[in-house]
Amino acid sequence: MKTPALASLKAGQKGRIASIGLESRNRRRLLEMGLIAGREFTLVRFAPLGDPMELKIGGSHLSLRKDEARHILVEVL
Amino acid sequence: MRLPTVESLAEIANPVGGVALAGNPNSGKSTLFNALTGLRQKVANYPGVTVEKKTGRFYGIHGRAMDLLDLPGTYSLQTRSPDEEVSRDVLLGRRADTPPPRAIVCVADATNLERNLYLVAQLAELDVPLVLALNMVDLAEKQGIRIDVNLLEKNLGIPVVPAVASAGVGLQEIKQLLSGEKLLLPKFRAPMPEAVAAEAEELVERLLLSPLPVPLGRAYSEALLLLSLDNEAELLDVAPSAVLAAAAEAAQGRLKATGIDPASAIIEARYAWIHQACAEAVRKPTEQPATFSDTIDNVLTHKVWGWLALAVVFGLMFFCIFTVANYPMNWINAAVSWLAGTARALMPPGDLRSLITDGVIAGVGGVVVFLPQILILFFFLGLLEDTGYMARAAFIMDRVMSRVGLHGKSFIPLLSSFACAIPGIMATRTIENKKDRLVTILIAPLMSCSARLPVYSLLIGAMIPDDKVPSLAKAGIMLAMYFFGIAAAFMMASLFKSTLFRNETPLLLLELPPYRMPQLRTIAMRMWERATIFLKRAGTVILAISILLWALATYPKPTDPNAGKAEALSHSMAGQIGHVMEPVIRPLGYDWKIGIGLLSSFAAREAFVGTMAVVYNVGEDDANSVSLRHALQSQQRPDGSPVFSPLVCVSLMVYYALAMQCMSTVAVVRRETNGWKWPLFLVAYMTGLAYLAALFIYQIGHLFHLG
């Protein structure tokens, strides 16, 4: 199965988290905020200047920079 | 022998601390805190850190007084900010200044329950009675989320109280639950994978046997914390001893060898438990309709409307700060001069009268006059924070701020600093990353604050002959000075981020909370808190500095008792320092009289105008005063050239734009950074920068005969 980086998705696309390849402290933080492998999310939008992005996951709206989203692999639904 | 008092007996019977209030940011924790304690609250600082310690008192059902400790909002006990560290340390009973809580109330947002329950899962691992306040159940219901409270209570093994903190719903139940003598401990813990549980068990034993034994009930929580920290520095920082850190590292190594990443495994196990607890108890509509928040966000974070909204929101804020605040500021000014006038009338002439009127009243009055601006600013900041717009502003501006290595959250403090750096610096508390926060504090005073306005207007007035130039050009110069400040701030941020505060790429993980109706009461209480901090901390330092500056400008006295104010000033210590300073400031184009102005501006920039009025013997000391402007224009050097040439005026404005000349700011930076190191660095770097920039401008200008 193809797992593109989260950063390559377009606004409005839905996906499922596959893996997070960040340094441990940051990866932990994302996991704790609910970015857990297998969870579905919606990429709601990008900020007006193209970065960061807004994700809807679980009941939360979280904002992430593309820099970090490059290390998060996802399945596109 | 002293007999124990009733209170001390009560303390013996109940040796542990009060009730701690924990919860995620935006869960309505402050609202619940205010609803429970009303006005019976106090704000202090945790010793050694700049985190605020907010405590309040409330009464249980039999009138039993209980202390409630409002912990900083946190998503997890694995911390990333000083605020979260305090929450963790209090809950784990690690802070000597704060006894571990007798019970914990955890506030959770019912509209986003699973994420909020993550903290609850961690708290349930402590052997401390825990009550879950399910806040905003009314909003959850509106969104079609049905929560079976009894089932949730059964699954989580802790009491669950549905609440609407803003309407006072659920308060009685919470009070009732906390009033009992024996509170129930959480029944369950999130089950861990077998291998992790075994390693945790072993660490628990080691913790209990360590030289500084961890209390029994907290050891499990601590063990899981140690197992999930795989960053060596962090582990050493958190572990009670180096031996334990090594043990935890070894345990992690064994788990990793079997293909288990302990940190992920622990977090996933907690979420799995939460998921199971909620599976039956929480019913969400299958197709979630777009919420009210989503609709607003389509506009407020839109590519075009988003910018417009940002401009309107902050335009309105500044309009209020600069126009509405004028009225109360004028009243304060009037009151101060009335006070000074009364003192002058009542007291016999002499040094004491001068000290009271020119030193104390004028000095403190000069600080208090900024109170309306600060209050209005904090009103808006509170409103923006509580509605949820602040996170959107950070979201929109993050790209811009990231250019200089900062975070979107630095935008608000910097913007606030256009009014006054003090509330701007106080607003940096929302920045989680320590280094980012410090950089923001260090560059915030470069934003042209309202105290620079009178200096700019006087100098622009002196530089450009009246009426020959359209006032639009003057406004243009003023605007250029503002942009100059912004450019300097961004350059310094870039420099600091690439030198002093390197090797850190903070994660931007910003929650965009749903839009909510703000609680006026919560905002008002925060304004009150901020105002007292400002008056107390900045006020005392200002008072001392005002007296010192007054003494410098008064002593020694001129030999001729009939000497005018100007002669007296030039004869005083301040005047002599001005003369001594002259060789240093001559390369910038300034003479010793301007030197006195610089000296008096050390406490507050706007003092420059008043000092110039005294130096040149002009009655009026208003920045727009025609006579003062003419006095400046007519000053000549011994060779007949004007003192205030356009080049000197520009050099002075640049100096004022960059130099650190505000004692209140220094006092607030000291408070916010908990020491003298950073405020002194701030004064040194800004004043150095100002000197070099003014020197460069004057010398280059001189080279091209622009002087």
Side-chain angles (χ1 to χ4, degrees), chain B residues 101 417 455 589:
Chain B
S417 301
V455 180

Side-chain angles (χ1 to χ4, degrees), chain B residues 220-279:
Chain B
Y220 179 69
S221 193
E222 190 112 15
L224 288 186
L225 186 64
L226 296 184
L227 274 181
S228 34
L229 298 175
D230 49 1
N231 174 311
E232 208 182 326
E234 220 183 332
L235 188 57
L236 272 174
D237 188 40
V238 173
S241 70
V243 180
L244 275 162
E249 220 179 330
Q252 287 176 19
R254 285 191 293 276
L255 287 170
K256 279 180 186 161
T258 62
I260 298 173
D261 173 44
S264 313
I266 292 170
I267 297 169
E268 281 166 16
R270 286 186 186 126
Y271 265 117
W273 179 65
I274 292 164
H275 197 69
Q276 215 173 10
C278 292

Side-chain angles (χ1 to χ4, degrees), chain B residues 270-339:
Chain B
R270 286 186 186 126
Y271 265 117
W273 179 65
I274 292 164
H275 197 69
Q276 215 173 10
C278 292
E280 295 276 303
V282 183
R283 293 275 164 93
K284 278 185 225 157
T286 38
E287 196 52 47
Q288 283 192 14
T291 61
F292 178 55
S293 268
D294 295 338
T295 320
I296 301 180
D297 262 342
N298 286 337
V299 180
L300 293 187
T301 56
H302 185 267
K303 282 196 166 61
V304 179
W305 308 127
W307 293 110
L308 199 69
L310 194 77
V312 168
V313 166
F314 291 108
L316 184 72
M317 182 172 107
F318 275 100
F319 175 78
C320 288
I321 288 168
F322 285 122
T323 57
V324 178
N326 257 337
Y327 297 96
M329 284 171 93
N330 286 339
W331 301 334
I332 293 176
N333 270 333
V336 168
S337 32
W338 174 84
L339 207 63

Side-chain angles (χ1 to χ4, degrees), chain B residues 73-74 106 151 167 180 272 289 369 388 398 409-411 418 424 427 517 520 530 551 582 634 681:
Chain B
T74 175
C106 188
L151 188 58
V369 79
D398 185 67
K409 283 192 177 172
S410 298
F411 170 66
F418 280 122
M517 267 314 270
L520 271 183
R530 292 289 173 259
E582 206 179 35
S634 59
F681 175 77

